[in-house]
Amino acid sequence: DKLPERLQKLAAQVRTGGKGSVRRKKKAVHRTTTTDDKRLQSTLKRLGVNNIPGIEEVNLFKDDGSVIHFSNPKVQASIPGNTYVVSGHAETKKLQDLLPGIINQL
């Protein structure tokens, strides 16, 4: 008559409501990262951003003296919308570490 304990535990995991509700066969798996990326790309396309080639590095200076440093980033810009997109591998460094390279560029 009674289901074994292990089967009851498994059945309880997939039940959406209380006792007497229909049991789902499969639990829905949500995919978020790919949809976020596609949504971001479509929003950027709507803003009319264009790729800017030939940028070797980007430094973002923070108030606490640290620098967010991108080397060989993908840079996109929409000049009329005053929007700039910098994407790629970022490293947070101290200003002292980057200072010699920055002074050479000035």
Side-chain angles (χ1 to χ4, degrees):
D1 252 14
K2 283 280 196 182
L3 286 171
E5 260 185 61
R6 210 166 124 212
L7 261 178
Q8 282 183 334
K9 279 184 185 173
L10 288 172
Q13 287 175 353
V14 292
R15 194 182 300 271
T16 54
K19 187 178 176 188
S21 67
V22 180
R23 186 170 71 88
R24 280 192 297 184
K25 307 283 189 293
K26 212 188 294 180
K27 195 171 184 182
V29 180
H30 298 294
R31 305 237 185 273
T32 54
T33 53
T34 54
T35 56
D36 284 349
D37 196 43
K38 285 178 186 171
R39 193 180 301 144
L40 176 64
Q41 290 304 323
S42 66
T43 306
L44 290 175
K45 195 176 284 183
R46 201 168 53 235
L47 284 170
V49 295
N50 296 319
N51 279 347
I52 301 177
I55 294 183
E56 293 176 11
E57 68 173 7
V58 172
N59 293 317
L60 300 175
F61 298 92
K62 292 168 65 175
D63 290 337
D64 63 356
S66 60
V67 179
I68 301 173
H69 175 77
F70 293 86
S71 55
N72 293 325
K74 179 182 178 187
V75 179
Q76 298 166 292
S78 168
I79 308 299
N82 198 22
T83 305
Y84 299 87
V85 181
V86 180
S87 53
H89 179 67
E91 298 173 349
T92 304
K93 297 184 176 182
K94 291 188 176 74
L95 182 59
Q96 290 83 359
D97 299 342
L98 292 173
L99 207 56
I102 294 170
I103 290 174
N104 291 343
Q105 296 171 16
L106 296 177

